Amino acid sequence: MMADGSGKEGAGAEPTRAQVDAEQEFDRAIVEGKFDSVDMRKVLDAEGGVMDMDKMWITMGPQHPFSHGLWTLIIQADGEIVTDAIPIVGYLHRGWEKETENRTYPKIIPMADRLCYAASMTYTHLYCMTVEKALDLEIPEKAKYIRIVADEINRLQSHLMWLAAVGTDMGNFTIFLWASREREFWMDMNIRLCGARMTTNYPRIGGVRNDTPDIFDRDIIRCTEHFEKMIWEIIGLIDNSSIYQSRMVGTGIITREQCANLGITGPAARGTGVDFDARRDDPYDNYDKVGFEVPVLTAGDSYARYVVRMEEMLQSCIIIKDAMQKIQALGKNSPYRLKAPSRVPAGRHFGRIEDCRGEAMMYLVSDGTDKPYRLKVRSPIFINVSASKPLVQGCRIADIPVIMAMIDMCLGETDR
Amino acid sequence: MGYYTSIQDWIAFPDPLANPYYPFGDAYNLPYDISLKLWNIVGGAIAWLIDLLFPGNAVSEWLVCDMTANFFALVIFMLIVFMVVFIAVLVVLWEERKVLGRAMDRRGTMVGMMGFLQCVADGFKTFMKDNIYSKRVDGMTYWWTLSLIIGTSVLIACMVPLSDRWFVVDYECGLLIVMGLFALAPFFILVSGWSQNNKYSLIGGLRAAEMMISYEIPMLIIIATVALQAGTLNINGIVEAQYGTLPYFIPQAVGFVTFFICAIAESERAPFDLAEAESELVEGWQTEYAGMKWGLIMLADYLRGFCACGMIVILFLGGWNLPGVHLTEWESWLPVPELTFLLKGFLVFFIMVIIRCATPRVRTDTILNLGWKVFLPLAILNLVIVVTYKAGGIF
């Protein structure tokens, strides 16, 4: 079949059909044992001279059940033990950064939604925040709190999707469906807030698109309280089971030094003892006025990263409840949006946000027109995936899906 | 000639045990009886019709003679035994999907008859799929291992007796035959994984072998223990031995739990489905089997799951007997012992499904540790307990 596809004459570097056939015939001859032992020894020596004969390279991806999205992890396996790993990303590259240079500033907002399908509002928030910095705009208090609520809804959504993926990666479908069930409630909250489930197009430069509707004010509290009860069902299923523990405890260990050298951020770093959260340490949009704690563990294995994410979900509920109180205290008629000028003064500006997966940043170079000159995105996963080699080295093949699930791959933002 | 005048003379329903070619010795066999009666109706009617057209011919005589009746009765017998097992496996499949669905807060399958027809729909779907296979596979082993895996699974499923009158063979060492056939599949899986020219299949096959050496030994020790307590390797004998006293899951509680977990591993169900771990090895050793090949492999998987449940029922739960009711003496057409056996099997499978929805897949090192460091001592402990019973004369 493959030979038919490349059978055209004059295809340049592509092998001709005759070459492919000859190669296949040679392989078949080896398989069928047509060579005598001396010839065979020569072939094996020639191959053995250039590669590790007792190890096997396995290409996992780009379409593989463990890669949530399109990326490849090429691993070298010595039996079941992984000895080396090479991550390859870029299959989903769509020229996002270049495309923004031909859009006016407001038109980039729906595009920023598409950066991350699991938590679209955080990237839109980040983009709006960066442009507001460039415009030197102070947005209304209410908008800041609404953005916090929206961010945390998206964080919960994203973490629940991660939890669902962890379930299937470990070979259990119950976790997947229970987490998806809880995620639906937060999707509903998105609908209440802005009408869409995933790509929300909600924050605006200078505020948010609309005020919180009455139905949202009521339902978000109900949803939070419901979630705080239901999450314990899932925690009970995972943490009370020694099989789950045995899959996570002690696998995928990295040290603080490796974290620093590789630039790992987010829950992956906080599970390794790096006590940093941009929400607390470099607060943006009134995050300094709501009370929450940053969970930090020092173990550095998959289980620590799991616990950090679960705790973050509970903290998100606390943030949402706190921020909703502040929103209600501001009253129904307080402003939620400013008119922003369409032209951004020339300059270089930088915004950072604590995304669900790590620290996302945007670097905006504006030249005084209504279009950005350059917009660079720092995606946390693009950096975190570089840790896959130290993470999976020495683990078993069966551990790879679990370890990489704890990084929580999201290819939309990685490849941009 | 001249003995046969009316159709009643041709369709006589003779006693199967009086047939000189009766293959089951002294034991009464219900499916054989049904088959013989069916053949008497069909063959007798044909013989009568031929005799009407050509009176006094030899073909009519031949159709109802003992040897021919026995031959066709055995053909129908095989079909009946397989169909009953097949329907039981479809019920098992449906049970798994429904119970899993409810446990996961969804409905499960919904196609016809409370979702039962989904199995049929899936069967047709896989049947209609293209029969794709790689050019580089090792044809001989690729096809032969596939047919052997499916064949041995069907064979064990038919070898598990539903009652003392519903069996295929009644050997003195019947238990060993069933367990021996059970243990064959990992070898075929190993060879099949090797033949597919695919790294995932290779790892899957190696895992199947790796797993087998960990659970097979404690399992066989427990089987030997059960045989020791019953005093026989005959499946009928083991069930009969449990009738007078307690079912063996009470005196051999340790062995029961160990055997249960080993049986899950033996039938390669979650959490021990390492050989087809779909999250890291795409579909494990089944990766290169497309379409109906995969469908048959799945059917074989469920056949083995059903057989594992059947073995648990036979060895520990008292087989087809209900406590206090000796149904085996009830030689009526009511299939009460058979249904008792199947219901007990479905109950055991229900627990297997609950285990599946509560646990993730274990790693190879975990199952090796479990097998050698936990199950083997437990199996030996069980053996010691039973030897103590026997020495003390309790059972």
Side-chain angles (χ1 to χ4, degrees):
Chain A
M1 283 304 193
M2 277 158 55
D4 290 339
S6 57
K8 295 244 166 64
E9 285 297 323
E14 276 183 38
T16 61
R17 180 169 186 164
Q19 279 172 341
V20 172
D21 280 355
E23 196 186 306
Q24 282 184 353
E25 206 156 290
F26 182 69
D27 286 0
R28 191 151 283 280
I30 294 175
V31 170
E32 286 167 0
K34 285 202 177 134
F35 297 104
D36 58 14
S37 57
V38 181
D39 282 341
M40 209 58 219
R41 176 53 48 199
K42 274 182 200 161
V43 171
L44 286 177
D45 283 349
E47 286 189 344
V50 291
M51 52 186 199
D52 231 339
M53 287 301 280
D54 56 344
K55 287 172 186 158
M56 179 160 68
W57 284 99
I58 304 172
T59 312
M60 295 172 104
Q63 278 157 350
H64 189 282
F66 104 95
S67 57
H68 309 299
L70 289 173
W71 70 290
T72 302
L73 185 68
I74 302 179
I75 58 161
Q76 191 191 40
D78 183 5
E80 279 266 330
I81 310 285
V82 181
T83 51
D84 199 356
I86 305 169
I88 297 173
V89 292
Y91 295 96
L92 211 62
H93 183 66
R94 50 205 189 278
W96 193 91
E97 285 171 10
K98 190 72 195 165
E99 227 176 316
T100 54
E101 291 166 19
N102 295 314
R103 298 269 198 287
T104 54
Y105 283 100
K107 280 185 180 176
I108 298 170
I109 294 172
M111 278 178 69
D113 273 344
R114 269 77 180 167
L115 271 177
C116 177
Y117 46 83
S120 55
M121 256 191 265
T122 49
Y123 275 93
T124 322
H125 181 185
L126 171 60
Y127 168 72
C128 293
M129 223 164 60
T130 313
V131 179
E132 279 154 16
K133 246 187 195 174
L135 291 166
D136 200 13
L137 211 64
E138 185 63 29
I139 66 165
E141 282 290 293
K142 192 171 187 180
K144 289 183 178 177
Y145 284 120
I146 293 176
R147 280 181 180 185
I148 288 177
V149 171
D151 261 17
E152 296 307 320
I153 289 175
N154 277 262
R155 192 183 310 279
L156 280 156
Q157 241 174 256
S158 168
H159 279 5
L160 282 168
M161 196 158 147
W162 156 83
L163 186 60
V166 167
T168 47
D169 281 341
M170 287 202 219
N172 184 293
F173 214 59
T174 314
I175 301 284
F176 175 81
L177 282 160
W178 284 8
S180 304
R181 177 187 71 195
E182 298 312 316
R183 183 165 176 261
E184 272 315 298
F185 289 108
W186 295 109
M187 292 292 212
D188 287 349
M189 287 306 111
N190 256 355
I191 294 175
R192 297 270 193 286
L193 190 58
C194 54
R197 277 161 59 87
M198 289 177 85
T199 43
T200 47
N201 192 12
Y202 183 60
R204 288 285 184 275
I205 299 165
V208 290
R209 192 181 67 204
N210 57 279
D211 196 358
T212 55
D214 288 342
I215 193 169
F216 177 80
D217 294 359
R218 186 195 69 191
D219 287 355
I220 186 81
I221 300 300
R222 283 187 190 175
C223 184
T224 313
E225 278 163 4
H226 173 77
F227 178 76
E228 280 173 343
K229 265 190 304 206
M230 296 308 275
I231 186 73
W232 288 101
E233 239 183 41
I234 304 176
I235 291 175
L237 186 60
I238 296 180
D239 285 44
N240 293 350
S241 161
S242 61
I243 307 183
Y244 281 102
Q245 303 274 344
S246 78
R247 291 300 301 275
M248 291 192 286
V249 175
T251 63
I253 298 173
I254 42 171
T255 58
R256 275 189 73 177
E257 286 73 27
Q258 277 170 323
C259 261
N261 290 339
L262 293 163
I264 294 170
T265 48
R270 285 196 285 278
T272 319
V274 180
D275 191 3
F276 180 81
D277 188 322
R279 289 178 291 174
R280 184 194 61 194
D281 300 321
D282 183 12
Y284 50 89
D285 276 3
N286 282 357
Y287 260 113
D288 46 349
K289 291 179 191 164
V290 292
F292 68 100
E293 285 169 17
V294 178
V296 180
L297 289 178
T298 50
D301 60 355
S302 294
Y303 187 65
R305 293 192 270 280
Y306 157 79
V307 172
V308 165
R309 278 212 163 83
M310 295 304 262
E311 183 57 36
E312 263 184 23
M313 281 198 251
L314 292 170
Q315 291 297 331
S316 289
C317 290
I318 294 169
I319 296 174
I320 287 174
K321 280 197 271 191
D322 202 355
M324 281 314 290
Q325 274 180 2
K326 300 268 168 57
I327 291 173
Q328 277 155 2
L330 283 170
K332 227 38 217 167
N333 293 326
S334 62
Y336 56 90
R337 187 176 174 182
L338 291 181
K339 279 274 180 203
S342 64
R343 279 167 199 280
V344 175
R348 287 153 187 264
H349 297 278
F350 162 78
R352 81 201 300 197
I353 196 169
E354 187 67 27
D355 184 34
C356 336
R357 295 171 174 75
E359 205 181 332
M361 303 177 190
M362 273 193 194
Y363 186 63
L364 174 71
V365 182
S366 48
D367 54 359
T369 62
D370 57 351
K371 290 170 186 170
Y373 179 76
R374 174 87 170 90
L375 183 60
K376 166 87 177 84
V377 182
R378 189 263 194 204
S379 141
I381 294 301
F382 184 70
I383 315 290
N384 285 6
V385 75
S386 64
S388 54
K389 183 177 170 181
L391 276 171
V392 303
Q393 250 178 351
C395 287
R396 281 159 193 280
I397 295 176
D399 284 329
I400 292 177
V402 183
I403 292 168
M404 294 321 292
M406 295 302 161
I407 292 289
D408 194 9
M409 291 298 288
C410 173
L411 267 296
E413 50 167 297
T414 309
D415 292 342
R416 300 191 290 282
Chain B
M1 296 299 152
Y3 300 102
Y4 304 103
T5 50
S6 75
I7 191 166
Q8 271 105 353
D9 295 332
W10 292 98
I11 303 171
F13 295 136
D15 181 16
L17 289 162
N19 191 324
Y21 301 97
Y22 181 65
F24 301 106
D26 304 332
Y28 171 72
N29 191 309
L30 179 62
Y32 181 85
D33 194 8
I34 297 171
S35 327
L36 194 63
K37 287 188 164 70
L38 270 176
W39 176 250
N40 260 286
I41 295 171
V42 177
I46 296 169
W48 173 68
L49 278 172
I50 296 175
D51 193 60
L52 278 183
L53 294 171
F54 311 103
N57 67 76
V59 176
S60 299
E61 279 289 321
W62 178 79
L63 276 172
V64 291
C65 78
D66 281 344
M67 198 160 78
T68 319
N70 179 50
F71 173 77
F72 283 103
L74 279 178
V75 171
I76 300 170
F77 168 79
M78 286 189 269
L79 286 176
I80 287 179
V81 168
F82 178 71
M83 283 316 290
V84 168
V85 168
F86 186 69
I87 289 166
V89 165
L90 289 191
V91 172
V92 157
L93 189 56
W94 168 78
E95 181 189 353
E96 164 148 52
R97 289 168 154 190
K98 272 307 212 195
V99 174
L100 268 188
R102 289 296 170 187
M104 293 170 182
D105 225 346
R106 59 192 172 91
R107 285 175 188 275
T109 52
M110 295 295 283
V111 180
M113 287 167 70
M114 294 173 69
F116 186 77
L117 292 184
Q118 180 71 46
C119 319
V120 184
D122 286 350
F124 275 112
K125 182 201 156 203
T126 50
F127 186 70
M128 296 308 288
K129 288 213 164 200
D130 205 354
N131 182 20
I132 303 168
Y133 57 96
S134 165
K135 252 181 167 178
R136 298 273 186 103
V137 298
D138 189 289
M140 180 92 160
T141 41
Y142 178 78
W143 290 104
W144 268 107
T145 47
L146 172 69
S147 35
L148 282 170
I149 288 163
I150 297 162
T152 48
S153 303
V154 174
L155 193 57
I156 326 160
C158 296
M159 293 282 276
V160 173
L162 298 192
S163 73
D164 61 346
R165 57 182 191 183
W166 192 291
F167 57 90
V168 177
V169 282
D170 191 16
Y171 287 145
E172 276 310 303
C173 53
L175 192 57
L176 278 188
I177 291 172
V178 173
M179 296 323 293
L181 283 172
F182 234 132
L184 273 179
F187 294 107
F188 300 141
I189 291 174
L190 175 61
V191 177
S192 158
W194 208 335
S195 73
Q196 290 173 30
N197 191 25
N198 183 325
K199 287 166 183 169
Y200 299 122
S201 308
L202 179 62
I203 297 171
L206 291 174
R207 279 186 182 184
E210 198 175 345
M211 214 165 75
M212 198 195 72
I213 57 167
S214 57
Y215 65 74
E216 197 70 35
I217 294 167
M219 198 171 183
L220 285 174
I221 291 176
I222 292 166
I223 286 167
T225 316
V226 170
L228 175 71
Q229 189 168 2
T232 173
L233 275 168
N234 184 324
I235 290 176
N236 263 338
I238 288 168
V239 173
E240 280 304 304
Q242 291 178 58
Y243 174 64
T245 62
L246 293 166
Y248 286 170
F249 78 93
I250 297 168
Q252 299 192 26
V254 181
F256 173 63
V257 175
T258 314
F259 188 86
F260 195 98
I261 300 168
C262 287
I264 297 174
E266 177 92 59
S267 53
E268 280 176 12
R269 290 180 48 76
F272 299 112
D273 53 346
L274 308 166
E276 53 205 73
E278 83 279 340
S279 56
E280 66 260 19
L281 315 174
V282 179
E283 193 58 29
W285 65 276
Q286 308 168 357
T287 307
E288 293 284 332
Y289 288 114
M292 194 59 194
K293 292 182 295 237
W294 184 83
L296 286 174
I297 287 172
M298 284 314 279
L299 180 69
D301 266 9
Y302 280 94
L303 279 169
R304 296 164 64 77
F306 168 72
C307 298
C309 296
M311 291 319 288
I312 291 168
V313 171
I314 286 168
L315 294 176
F316 293 102
L317 299 180
W320 43 85
N321 289 325
L322 285 170
V325 193
H326 204 233
L327 286 161
T328 47
E329 287 168 2
W330 196 4
E331 292 195 349
S332 73
W333 276 89
L334 284 175
V336 177
E338 287 81 10
L339 284 180
T340 312
F341 182 88
L342 286 176
L343 283 178
K344 279 183 183 176
F346 297 152
L347 192 68
V348 173
F349 194 78
F350 175 79
I351 299 167
M352 281 194 181
V353 176
I354 294 292
I355 289 175
R356 175 180 171 182
C357 72
T359 52
R361 190 179 299 113
V362 300
R363 272 196 316 243
T364 39
D365 56 334
T366 317
I367 172 106
L368 279 170
N369 278 336
L370 266 180
W372 288 101
K373 294 182 188 161
V374 182
F375 291 162
L376 192 58
L378 282 178
I380 293 169
L381 174 70
N382 188 44
L383 179 63
V384 171
I385 291 171
V386 170
V387 169
T388 320
Y389 288 150
K390 280 290 198 188
I394 301 171
F395 281 100

